[in-house]
Amino acid sequence: MKSCLLIRLGQLGLFLCLSLLPGYVRAQAVSGRVADESGQPLEGARIVVKNKPVGVFSQANGTFSITCAPADTLICTYLGYEPASQPVGGRTQVDFVLREAVTTLEDVVVVGYGVQRKSDLTGAIGSVKGEELRKLPSASVDQALQGKLAGVQVVPVSGEPGAAAVIRIRGIGTLNDAAPLFVVDGMLLDDIQFLNPADVASVEVLKDASATAIYGSRGANGVIIITTSQGKAGQARVEVSSFMGTQELAHKISLTSARDFAILANELAENEGIGQPFADPDQITGGTDWQEVIFRPAPMSQVQVSASGGSAAMRYHISGNWLRQAGILEGSDYSRATLRANNQYDVKPWLTLGHNVTLMYIQRDIAAGVLDNAYRADPTVPERDSTGAFGNTSLRASVANPAAQIFYNNNSGFSYRAVGNVFMDLRLLKYLTFRTSAGIDLENNQSKNFVPEYYVSPIQQNLENQLYLGFDRNLSWLWENTLTFDRAWDRHRLNVLTGLTAQQFRYEQFGGSRRGLPGETPELWYLGAGQVDGQTNYHDAYEWRMLSYLFRTNYTYQDRYLMTVSLRADGSSKFGANNRYGYFPSVALGWNVTREAFMASQQVFSRLKVRASWGIVGNEKIGAYASQAVVSSNLNGVFGYNPALSFGASIITLANPDLRWESTRQADIGLEMGFAQDRLSLEADYYDRLTDGILIGVPIPDYVGSANNPIENAAQVRNTGLDLKLDWRSMAGPLSYRIGLIGATVSNEVVSLGEGKEEIFGGDLGFGGNLGTRTAPGLPIGSFYGYKVAGIYQNQADLEQYPNAGTEQPGDLRFEDVDGDGVISTADRTYLGSPIPNFIYGLSTGLEIAGIDLSVDLNGQSGNKLVNAKKMARFGTYNFETSYLDRWTGEGTSDTEPRVTNGGPNYSPSERFLEDGSFLRLRLVQIGYTLPASLTTRAGLSRVRLYASGANLVTWTRYTGYTPEVTSNSVISVGIDRGVYPIARTYTGGLDISF
């Protein structure tokens, strides 16, 4: 029996061997070469046997060799080129010539956790290439995005070197932190100040819920995905870029001269009933222009060196950058060095390893707070007197000498930061890829401020030197694991993604101060050198964690019908056990109309696509312990018959275990059109975005004994708007040109603030505790709140005829009696306007001919108001803006500018200080020349380009401050100008070399 079984097994084995033998015998070696249409070899192209797990990469000269059968088909792919396939047909030589993929329809766009063909997109995604950002001489990527993307408002925090920008995507949907999420090469971040714009390859902005829902609670304010430059297989390429330039103050505030100041000061003294400070203003000549004292032309320079290339098994891109930018305000210099290494290693045809790492060092001098004092300083006082001592600017007002502030300022800081990740791609089966990635963001900051002994005036002195030191550290790690199924067959394409991610954040700060250092040289600027008596210190920290599960599927049928479905579940330690997890779904549909048979004969559209999406995303940007009870341990008191200090603690914020995520429901309808072979393209999106359960502090009765209002889900905010993008690209012989126009509208409205919360006041106007904004149902977030001006009381009869508060005199502002009770009171304060523009736009143009290239960019906004709060705070005889020269000096002399006073109703929050924030700015003009290849190749160079550019050249605006771009990280304090660092006008010249 056993022998029969062995015989049968032997027969079966022989049959299998014989059946496989013909295939084995027919296998053969096939060689070939891969090149582009110009004949240049392409190294690293992938050649695979169709429907078989066999593949190789082309070598440096483009050649390859692969074993296959005569009946097989070879498929060749290379990033940026159209794939090609050829049947072997018994040949031993199979060559491939690949065409570059240039059509807009098939562009690849980076989306969350992957890429998609643009024709398959169902979400609202804006995109801009890195070369567009590099044209602007800017230290930050976020500022370079200004005017480039529809629906994206970018406002610089200030013009100070290295300053970040506030970014708002489709309006403001929360009363908390409204900043978007940044994703740099897969690393999730809250800011990108470490990133060098020269390293950026592309930027994608995810705007609707379909695109952002894959990021769940991190995507409520939009997502900005940044891909840095990666190496390509081929000959090593070295690029050197450098520019130098100068910056200058673009616009001065119009302040009075010494003579005009003296006239107004005497008038003020007369109106206030005090002695006149100047005997004869007409005898005053000269004077000090304090803006000329503190501002200066400032140099700026940058050098960038990068090397890229690779082989079939490894690709690399390494870059180093040094940026030096002096501030136009003396004492605000900034330097940054960055080093980036992006490498990929194809260890096996089924295994890829890689890393994206950035190291950064920043050193900055922090400017003394001189803007307010330079604005208010007495122009009749010299910078220094005849003895060389600093002039006393506090004679008529409490104003420090700005020049002395700069001279005695020793405030500096530096930062180290490392951001990056390592990843592994494992192609498990033919259509299945597993990726695991581990990333880290580590930042250390140190600040040092030494104040020497000095005496300028009674209000500007320091009798004992002192040193302040501060340290803080941010650390976050991210571990992501995704599994992707990607297959195309017949008329179908299916991509399914599932994953698990975890992230942890920790922040810690500490510092201290000491007085009485034995000397004032930098060698002694250490806490240990100071006196022990009077020393101070502080130390605190917080941390929070997040665990997430994600799923997304993209399906395309016949290249016509598109569907995307996604779901993310986020769990955060910020929320209590009752609502630890939030769930964020989305669905989107698309229709490529021009792919239909009935559109084949039409000649109007080269592309027509309709898409619609709906989804829910969340927001968790609240304190790390917002759902927990907060206890203060510094509540001490003296009690008992024998009084003694008792140390105590108490709950100052109540716990809320039912706290849940903010949720934003967003619907989007989009239309994409192309004409004339896509030379003209139009994209339009309408969106409706409602944020519910906004996390705010809700009032509770005082008898509860909590010092702070507990955080609850209470408010609702709605944003609606339209995003538009129009592009024209054309080539006629040697001339090519492009014109791009973007525009976006936004309507912001607070729907409700929840029970017990009728309004939220904010926007510190800088004096007397006055708040300038009111957030209430039916109004935009952070609306300006004050009195409407009806004119000026011209005489006593006006005071008797019109409502007033009882303290006004002829020449004072007359306010509208909004509530109609016949008396002017705080109840008459009302809505005056919004700091949120209702329209933002940008224009980008480019032209190339005979090696000459020209780029011109403009950007602007309209429909918003600004508060010129600098004019409001007067506690002495400060300098005046020249608008005061049109003041009321008697009946009929003015009905807009009141008499000169230092207080009273003329300085109440009112329309007097409200100005139009609309502007149009000539953002960039750049002209360049690329030397002919016939010249550069002789020197062993592949490209040489010289250029000159100007940035922020002209700003057309009616706003009288330094810049109409005034913002704040607090959404209820936007648009209040208390003295913002001006945006500089910049001129640069540069050289780009590659070899």
Side-chain angles (χ1 to χ4, degrees):
M1 191 71 178
K2 290 182 178 179
S3 62
C4 291
L5 180 59
L6 291 173
I7 291 172
R8 294 294 185 188
L9 290 174
Q11 290 174 338
L12 179 61
L14 179 62
F15 172 77
L16 291 173
C17 290
L18 292 175
S19 65
L20 293 173
L21 185 60
Y24 175 79
V25 172
R26 288 197 299 270
Q28 63 184 53
V30 175
S31 59
R33 183 175 183 270
V34 183
D36 60 18
E37 291 183 294
S38 66
Q40 293 295 315
L42 297 177
E43 180 183 5
R46 193 169 184 223
I47 302 94
V48 298
V49 180
K50 185 177 182 180
N51 297 328
K52 290 184 179 179
V54 179
V56 296
F57 293 96
S58 59
Q59 303 301 310
N61 57 2
T63 61
F64 68 91
S65 179
I66 191 170
T67 300
C68 57
D72 285 336
T73 296
L74 298 182
I75 300 175
C76 180
T77 58
Y78 192 78
L79 185 64
Y81 290 79
E82 297 180 359
S85 64
Q86 291 195 51
V88 176
R91 293 179 293 170
T92 59
Q93 179 79 20
V94 178
D95 296 330
F96 289 94
V97 177
L98 302 186
R99 293 189 305 171
E100 190 171 0
V102 295
T103 61
T104 302
L105 197 60
E106 305 306 327
D107 278 348
V108 173
V109 177
V110 178
V111 297
Y113 300 97
V115 296
Q116 269 189 284
R117 298 197 313 176
K118 194 175 189 304
S119 61
D120 290 348
L121 283 179
T122 55
I125 299 178
S127 182
V128 61
K129 298 301 182 184
E131 52 262 30
E132 287 297 309
L133 305 182
R134 287 191 285 272
K135 292 179 180 178
L136 188 75
S138 173
S140 63
V141 175
D142 43 12
Q143 289 199 27
L145 288 172
Q146 191 175 45
K148 296 294 185 182
L149 295 157
V152 181
Q153 183 191 19
V154 181
V155 183
V157 173
S158 80
E160 187 173 0
V166 170
I167 298 179
R168 300 289 181 251
I169 298 175
R170 290 186 165 181
I172 300 171
T174 180
L175 299 175
N176 297 296
D177 187 351
L181 171 70
F182 296 95
V183 182
V184 180
D185 293 330
M187 188 66 189
L188 276 58
L189 304 162
D190 290 327
D191 75 277
I192 50 173
Q193 292 310 293
F194 71 95
L195 193 59
N196 169 27
D199 285 332
V200 174
S202 68
V203 177
E204 272 78 24
V205 178
L206 315 186
K207 297 185 286 186
D208 73 333
S210 170
T212 62
I214 196 66
Y215 291 105
S217 65
R218 310 291 296 278
N221 301 316
V223 179
I224 298 178
I225 300 179
I226 299 174
T227 304
T228 60
S229 300
Q230 304 290 322
K232 296 181 180 180
Q235 187 176 0
R237 181 182 180 90
V238 177
E239 296 179 312
V240 180
S241 300
S242 178
F243 71 75
M244 297 182 66
T246 185
Q247 309 159 90
E248 64 182 23
L249 180 66
H251 165 72
K252 288 202 309 183
I253 295 175
S254 183
L255 299 173
T256 57
S257 65
R259 175 185 174 276
D260 289 339
F261 169 80
I263 293 173
L264 293 176
N266 280 353
E267 223 172 274
L268 185 149
E270 182 180 352
N271 291 334
E272 297 288 344
I274 58 177
Q276 293 190 350
F278 297 98
D280 187 0
D282 289 331
Q283 298 300 314
I284 297 176
T285 59
T288 303
D289 184 337
W290 290 104
Q291 294 179 94
E292 290 288 340
V293 170
I294 66 170
F295 291 114
R296 60 177 182 175
M300 181 180 184
S301 62
Q302 177 179 275
V303 176
Q304 166 91 4
V305 180
S306 65
S308 62
S311 63
M314 189 269 285
R315 294 166 298 285
Y316 64 90
H317 187 281
I318 301 172
S319 68
N321 180 277
W322 171 255
L323 172 71
R324 174 77 168 84
Q325 183 177 4
I328 58 172
L329 182 59
E330 191 173 348
S332 59
D333 296 354
Y334 175 89
S335 300
R336 184 187 66 199
T338 59
L339 179 64
R340 170 169 284 274
N342 295 345
N343 290 18
Q344 291 188 37
Y345 311 90
D346 292 319
V347 181
K348 296 289 184 181
W350 45 268
L351 176 63
T352 299
L353 303 177
H355 60 76
N356 304 287
V357 179
T358 298
L359 302 177
M360 177 211 72
Y361 171 76
I362 287 177
Q363 182 173 334
R364 68 172 75 218
D365 294 330
I366 302 171
V370 301
L371 286 172
D372 279 353
N373 289 323
Y375 174 84
R376 295 183 169 89
D378 187 335
T380 66
V381 175
E383 176 185 350
R384 292 178 183 263
D385 61 23
S386 58
T387 66
F390 287 107
N392 183 0
T393 52
S394 67
L395 294 174
R396 281 169 281 275
S398 181
V399 177
N401 185 312
Q405 280 184 283
I406 293 173
F407 183 80
Y408 293 116
N409 178 54
N410 297 289
N411 197 353
S412 63
F414 64 84
S415 304
Y416 299 96
R417 191 168 180 182
V419 181
N421 58 8
V422 294
F423 62 87
M424 178 183 71
D425 287 339
L426 184 62
R427 290 171 284 278
L428 300 173
L429 299 172
K430 186 175 182 180
Y431 307 109
L432 202 61
T433 301
F434 171 74
R435 166 172 279 217
T436 183
S437 172
I440 190 172
D441 178 9
L442 174 62
E443 180 180 13
N444 286 291
N445 301 300
Q446 176 180 321
S447 61
K448 179 182 290 187
N449 183 16
F450 176 76
V451 184
E453 295 180 15
Y454 65 86
Y455 183 90
V456 178
S457 68
I459 70 155
Q460 191 175 8
Q461 61 176 305
N462 188 57
L463 301 181
E464 187 177 23
N465 66 38
Q466 50 196 313
L467 175 68
Y468 301 89
L469 284 181
F471 299 85
D472 65 77
R473 175 183 299 156
N474 286 280
L475 172 63
S476 70
W477 58 258
L478 173 68
W479 184 35
E480 296 190 314
N481 300 275
T482 59
L483 188 65
T484 304
F485 175 84
D486 192 2
R487 186 185 179 190
W489 72 99
D490 297 332
R491 301 176 179 182
H492 311 273
R493 278 197 304 275
L494 179 64
N495 180 281
V496 180
L497 169 77
T498 185
L500 169 68
T501 77
Q503 192 164 13
Q504 177 173 302
F505 306 80
R506 178 173 174 80
Y507 172 79
E508 183 176 10
Q509 65 172 354
F510 61 93
S513 68
R514 282 196 181 183
R515 296 175 174 269
L517 277 69
E520 297 191 343
T521 59
E523 292 81 5
L524 295 172
W525 292 358
Y526 295 91
L527 292 179
Q531 299 173 359
V532 175
D533 293 342
Q535 65 179 325
T536 65
N537 64 77
Y538 63 89
H539 187 197
D540 58 64
Y542 66 83
E543 66 178 20
W544 63 281
R545 298 168 299 281
M546 180 177 287
L547 180 67
S548 307
Y549 305 89
L550 55 97
F551 168 82
R552 181 182 62 209
T553 181
N554 294 309
Y555 173 70
T556 302
Y557 177 67
Q558 289 187 329
D559 285 334
R560 302 178 194 171
Y561 312 114
L562 320 169
M563 181 180 70
T564 300
V565 177
S566 65
L567 173 67
R568 178 158 175 149
D570 282 330
S572 172
S573 64
K574 292 182 178 181
F575 297 91
N578 297 351
N579 290 294
R580 181 61 50 84
Y581 277 88
Y583 301 90
F584 308 102
S586 76
V587 61
L589 301 173
W591 180 24
N592 281 318
V593 183
T594 43
R595 297 291 177 91
E596 297 287 354
F598 65 81
M599 295 289 288
S601 60
Q602 61 86 30
Q603 302 296 320
V604 178
F605 298 102
S606 54
R607 175 167 56 100
L608 178 60
K609 179 180 175 181
V610 181
R611 46 183 170 76
S613 68
W614 176 91
I616 300 175
V617 288
N619 189 5
E620 44 65 52
K621 292 187 176 182
I622 56 175
Y625 310 113
S627 65
Q628 304 174 33
V630 177
V631 178
S632 173
S633 59
N634 294 317
L635 301 178
N636 307 323
V638 179
F639 302 98
Y641 291 105
N642 298 313
L645 180 65
S646 298
F647 298 93
S650 176
I651 294 176
I652 60 173
T653 303
L654 297 180
N656 183 0
D658 295 320
L659 200 66
R660 59 179 173 83
W661 307 75
E662 290 184 8
S663 62
T664 299
R665 294 173 175 83
Q666 185 173 180
D668 184 284
I669 298 176
L671 179 66
E672 300 178 15
M673 294 183 287
F675 307 90
Q677 287 76 50
D678 275 358
R679 284 181 294 175
L680 176 64
S681 64
L682 171 67
E683 293 186 22
D685 280 88
Y686 174 79
Y687 64 89
D688 188 325
R689 174 186 174 199
L690 177 66
T691 304
D692 189 20
I694 293 177
L695 297 158
I696 64 173
V698 175
I700 58 175
D702 292 339
Y703 62 75
V704 174
S706 175
N708 301 318
N709 293 327
I711 302 296
E712 291 188 6
N713 300 94
Q716 282 188 334
V717 172
R718 182 185 297 276
N719 287 274
T720 58
L722 182 67
D723 295 346
L724 293 170
K725 179 184 177 184
L726 184 67
D727 283 304
W728 169 264
R729 297 174 182 271
S730 184
M731 179 176 291
L735 171 67
S736 65
Y737 63 95
R738 58 175 177 78
I739 301 173
L741 178 67
I742 61 106
T745 67
V746 62
S747 174
N748 177 272
E749 180 187 358
V750 178
V751 178
S752 69
L753 290 178
E755 185 178 353
K757 196 79 170 180
E758 298 180 355
E759 55 194 2
I760 298 175
F761 293 100
D764 182 8
L765 296 177
F767 74 101
N770 270 303
L771 300 177
T773 71
R774 177 175 176 260
T775 299
L779 298 177
I781 291 176
S783 296
F784 294 126
Y785 178 65
Y787 298 100
K788 288 189 174 182
V789 176
I792 289 178
Y793 297 104
Q794 297 293 331
N795 47 45
Q796 186 63 34
D798 281 354
L799 287 169
E800 295 172 356
Q801 177 183 357
Y802 297 109
N804 58 76
T807 59
E808 295 89 343
Q809 297 182 29
D812 288 339
L813 290 176
R814 178 165 61 87
F815 299 138
E816 285 190 13
D817 181 17
V818 174
D819 64 359
D821 65 355
V823 177
I824 300 300
S825 67
T826 55
D828 294 308
R829 291 181 67 176
T830 187
Y831 172 71
L832 298 180
S834 171
I836 302 174
N838 54 34
F839 186 58
I840 57 175
Y841 55 93
L843 175 68
S844 178
T845 64
L847 178 149
E848 294 183 16
I849 183 172
I852 299 173
D853 61 269
L854 173 67
S855 297
V856 179
D857 290 353
L858 297 98
N859 75 286
Q861 65 185 36
S862 64
N864 65 303
K865 299 293 185 180
L866 300 174
V867 174
N868 190 349
K870 301 185 301 298
K871 295 176 67 173
M872 298 182 68
R874 297 194 68 88
F875 301 103
T877 310
Y878 301 146
N879 198 1
F880 304 87
E881 291 195 21
T882 53
S883 60
Y884 281 81
L885 298 175
D886 298 324
R887 71 221 176 270
W888 184 92
T889 56
E891 186 172 343
T893 55
S894 175
D895 202 37
T896 56
E897 188 67 31
R899 66 193 181 102
V900 183
T901 61
N902 264 351
N906 297 333
Y907 292 94
S908 296
S910 71
E911 286 181 317
R912 178 192 180 193
F913 305 104
L914 212 64
E915 299 186 35
D916 187 357
S918 304
F919 73 89
L920 171 63
R921 173 171 291 151
L922 183 55
R923 180 76 164 135
L924 175 73
V925 175
Q926 185 179 97
I927 185 168
Y929 178 66
T930 302
L931 272 61
S934 58
L935 296 178
T936 57
T937 52
R938 296 177 186 176
L941 305 175
S942 57
R943 183 172 182 265
V944 176
R945 176 176 177 266
L946 302 96
Y947 66 89
S949 68
N952 305 317
L953 295 176
V954 184
T955 301
W956 293 275
T957 182
R958 283 184 276 182
Y959 183 61
T960 58
Y962 286 123
T963 173
E965 295 181 291
V966 182
T967 189
S968 170
N969 287 313
S970 170
V971 298
I972 61 174
S973 300
V974 176
I976 298 176
D977 185 359
R978 292 182 291 270
V980 62
Y981 193 118
I983 304 296
R985 182 186 292 123
T986 305
Y987 304 95
T988 58
L991 175 66
D992 298 335
I993 300 174
S994 59
F995 54 90

